[in-house]
Amino acid sequence: MSDRSLAIRSFTDLANPTRFVALAGRLLPWLAGLTAVLFAVGLTLCFTTAADYQQGETVRIMYIHVPAAWLSMMGYSVMAASALGTLVWRHPLADVAAKCAAPIGAGFTALALITGSLWGKPMWGTWWVWDARLTSVFILFLMYLGLIALNRAMDDAGRAAKVSAVLILVGFVNIPIIKFSVDWWNTLHQPASVLRLGGSAIDPEFLRPLLVMALAFTCLFFTLHLAAMRTEIWRRRIAAMRRQAARGAASA
Amino acid sequence: MTALFLRDLKLATRAGGGALTGILFFLAVVAVVPFGLGPDLKLLARVGPAMLWIGALLASLLGLERLFQAEREDGALDVMLMQETPLVFTVFIKCLAHWTASGLPLVLVSPLLGLFLNMEPQAIGATMLTLLAGTPAITLIGAMGAAVAVALPRGGLLVSILVLPLVVPVLIFGVSAAYAAVEDPAPFLPPFLILIAITLFFAVIGPAAAAVALRAASE
Amino acid sequence: MSAHLAYVAASYGAALIISAGLIGWVVLDARARRRELKALEDAGIRRRSAGGGAP
């Protein structure tokens, strides 16, 4: 592509898919490198810090679990912001962003669930507890899967974007209600016997690897998101070119 | 508006409408429960309110995709989109009619099914009351799902999958209010009031979202 | 303690698998699309405008 020299002058310039692709191409190697460095540092910290006197080695699961859980929520927030962009400003890249965030967000949500239950088995003695947090993350996971299924079921990208934007936003409004209801339900059904992690202040010894890992996972998210968005733009471009070619063949 | 309400009501209750199917489905789901759990009357009485709620939830979801389907098929949807009355109101009235035709009968037959499940009169009353307050919320959230289904080549099951996570709070507060009426220490009013609040909240959000989705879907 | 280590290892393994899966999906998808784009361009099909990517 000849437009590598095009400079991004303002945020609105990002609306131009060609400029976006060019920018993504320039940014991606740097982001990927940063992600790799952060992961190297973070993983080193993960395995060199001391084990917790109470949780033992399993505290190391937290260095993955907590960032994954954060990102599962951040992924949905990114989708909600994009949905707003689709419906309010009709930003041409917003629906691309929303569509590409869904599988990545679902991946991190699945990771949060898996590591959560791997942590729960030695600590709680069971793989799955209908704990308030686990349950809300599980419902979030279902919402992700529903949105992915919806996007796959529709052929027309523009229509799919708007319809799923509505759904994303209603889901976003609903998240606090779900969280609240699950908390209510949990206190109703479970006497407070569940070990709480957030109750005690976290020692800086554990905070450092946690934050680095959170940063590393966030970078990973955005690297993947940017790359997926670029691919999605290409995909639409290919579809447009194919249509054009078919039209050309029909009229000739 | 009254005309639309009556028209929808008539359409739903005549032969081929979805109202009767919903009730039958509700009956079938609740009738299957004892076969799964065993005929232990004590156990059935304990899970009764929950079973009635789950049955009503599934039965409501079943009929949802029909909400805008007929309109799409005969082209009335375009008229709805173009008329002067705001689309939100039209959607709201349609939800109301849909609930009267398919939600209200579920509430009305629930005491009968409660008897099958060996529930106490008080539990039956509480379940009926919570269903009365909660099922409109399911219809109102589902309206959005039904609007999404209009855009889908094959709607149906996907709508239920999309709507189900969103109605979890309704189920939680409905069931906990129904249980609170029977079990002593838990207060009945707070969950019941929250349930009503959720219904009112979705009376605003649901039709608005459905209207936006309908416009997007029929572009 | 060794049993706990197995859970830790499983967690990191899961993280590796899911991250690798996501990265693999993104990279392979990008590569396939890039190839298709190139094939179409080689076939002489041009876009109407430089910015007309998204429909």
Side-chain angles (χ1 to χ4, degrees):
Chain A
M1 246 158 263
S2 60
D3 39 35
R4 274 190 81 79
S5 59
L6 281 177
I8 302 286
R9 277 177 300 271
S10 70
F11 186 68
T12 45
D13 271 8
L14 280 175
N16 184 327
T18 306
R19 289 221 176 96
F20 178 84
V21 166
L23 180 78
R26 249 177 300 162
L27 272 181
L28 271 172
W30 292 100
L31 258 174
L34 184 63
T35 311
V37 170
L38 279 170
F39 264 113
V41 175
L43 285 171
T44 319
L45 277 175
C46 279
F47 287 108
T48 48
T49 48
D52 188 41
Y53 73 97
Q54 209 178 4
Q55 296 185 27
E57 296 291 330
T58 45
V59 74
R60 302 197 202 285
I61 297 178
M62 282 295 141
Y63 301 145
I64 294 181
H65 174 72
V66 175
W70 281 343
L71 279 180
S72 69
M73 281 178 270
M74 195 195 73
Y76 204 90
S77 307
V78 167
M79 282 168 71
S82 314
L84 214 60
T86 303
L87 288 179
V88 179
W89 297 290
R90 302 184 178 250
H91 196 286
L93 282 174
D95 57 331
V96 177
K99 192 182 171 194
C100 295
I104 305 170
F108 282 113
T109 315
L111 182 59
L113 285 170
I114 292 171
T115 51
S117 82
L118 277 169
W119 184 81
K121 181 66 182 163
M123 297 316 286
W124 292 336
T126 163
W127 292 109
W128 183 262
V129 175
W130 287 95
D131 163 66
R133 279 187 219 181
L134 261 72
T135 313
S136 1
V137 172
F138 185 59
I139 294 174
L140 185 66
F141 187 53
L142 288 182
M143 281 161 66
Y144 270 124
L145 292 187
L147 283 167
I148 294 171
L150 178 67
N151 254 325
R152 292 183 68 94
M154 271 198 251
D155 329 314
D156 180 359
R159 246 174 21 166
K162 272 185 208 131
V163 170
S164 44
V166 176
L167 209 66
I168 291 168
L169 282 181
V170 172
F172 193 65
V173 171
N174 237 17
I175 284 176
I177 303 178
I178 292 176
K179 185 82 185 68
F180 171 62
S181 68
V182 170
D183 277 337
W184 170 286
W185 165 78
N186 192 54
T187 48
L188 195 76
H189 285 257
Q190 247 180 9
S193 65
V194 176
L195 200 70
R196 293 239 161 255
L197 178 77
S200 59
I202 306 172
D203 195 87
E205 173 83 17
F206 303 119
L207 200 57
R208 217 173 311 123
L210 190 62
L211 285 181
V212 176
M213 283 304 271
L215 220 58
F217 271 112
T218 312
C219 275
L220 178 62
F221 180 94
F222 281 115
T223 311
L224 289 173
H225 193 208
L226 206 58
M229 278 177 73
R230 186 173 63 162
T231 312
E232 179 67 23
I233 291 171
W234 280 339
R235 195 197 315 280
R236 291 182 185 191
R237 205 165 270 182
I238 289 164
M241 284 161 86
R242 286 231 170 97
R243 269 200 301 278
Q244 203 183 337
R247 251 202 308 280
S251 62
Chain B
M1 285 291 104
T2 1
L4 177 68
F5 182 79
L6 291 174
R7 169 187 163 274
D8 267 25
L9 212 55
K10 253 183 228 152
L11 277 179
T13 42
R14 69 156 193 222
L20 194 66
T21 329
I23 302 172
L24 289 178
F25 183 75
F26 185 36
L27 273 169
V29 167
V30 175
V32 159
V33 170
F35 296 116
L37 288 176
D40 180 8
L41 285 179
K42 265 214 196 85
L43 181 67
L44 285 180
R46 212 165 59 79
V47 299
M51 280 306 141
L52 286 185
W53 254 98
I54 291 172
L57 178 69
L58 294 179
S60 316
L61 287 181
L62 187 72
L64 270 177
E65 52 158 337
R66 310 181 61 93
L67 193 50
F68 301 113
Q69 212 71 24
E71 271 74 10
R72 188 183 70 160
E73 277 156 15
D74 65 7
L77 193 63
D78 295 326
V79 182
M80 264 167 59
L81 288 170
M82 280 185 293
Q83 71 192 356
E84 265 177 51
T85 8
L87 185 59
V88 185
F89 282 126
T90 319
V91 171
F92 183 73
I93 296 294
K94 280 188 70 64
C95 289
L96 221 58
H98 185 264
W99 178 78
T100 318
S102 63
L104 197 58
L106 296 181
V107 178
L108 294 178
V109 297
S110 63
L112 185 70
L113 293 169
L115 288 179
F116 278 131
L117 294 175
N118 189 35
M119 283 159 66
E120 296 162 31
Q122 207 187 353
I124 291 177
T127 308
M128 204 176 157
L129 199 60
T130 52
L131 279 176
L132 186 66
T135 42
I138 299 172
T139 306
L140 289 163
I141 304 171
M144 183 197 57
V148 168
V150 169
L152 285 171
R154 341 157 259 288
L157 208 57
L158 190 57
V159 176
S160 307
I161 299 169
L162 292 172
V163 171
L164 214 50
L166 303 181
V167 294
V168 166
V170 180
L171 184 65
I172 288 176
F173 286 110
V175 173
S176 53
Y179 273 116
V182 193
E183 284 162 14
D184 223 9
F188 171 73
L189 220 46
F192 187 64
L193 289 181
I194 295 171
L195 182 66
I196 292 175
I198 289 176
T199 303
L200 292 177
F201 180 70
F202 282 115
V204 179
I205 298 282
V212 177
L214 273 180
R215 277 202 200 286
S218 52
E219 246 167 32
Chain C
M1 222 9 80
S2 60
H4 284 194
L5 267 176
Y7 291 113
V8 176
S11 296
Y12 282 80
L16 190 72
I17 289 169
I18 288 181
S19 311
L22 283 173
I23 293 170
W25 164 66
V26 166
V27 167
L28 289 180
D29 202 19
R31 194 168 292 168
R33 293 296 88 74
R34 210 195 290 252
R35 206 176 300 130
E36 277 180 15
L37 207 58
K38 202 165 172 333
L40 280 169
E41 265 166 10
D42 286 349
I45 300 158
R46 297 253 160 249
R47 281 177 292 131
R48 270 158 303 172
S49 63

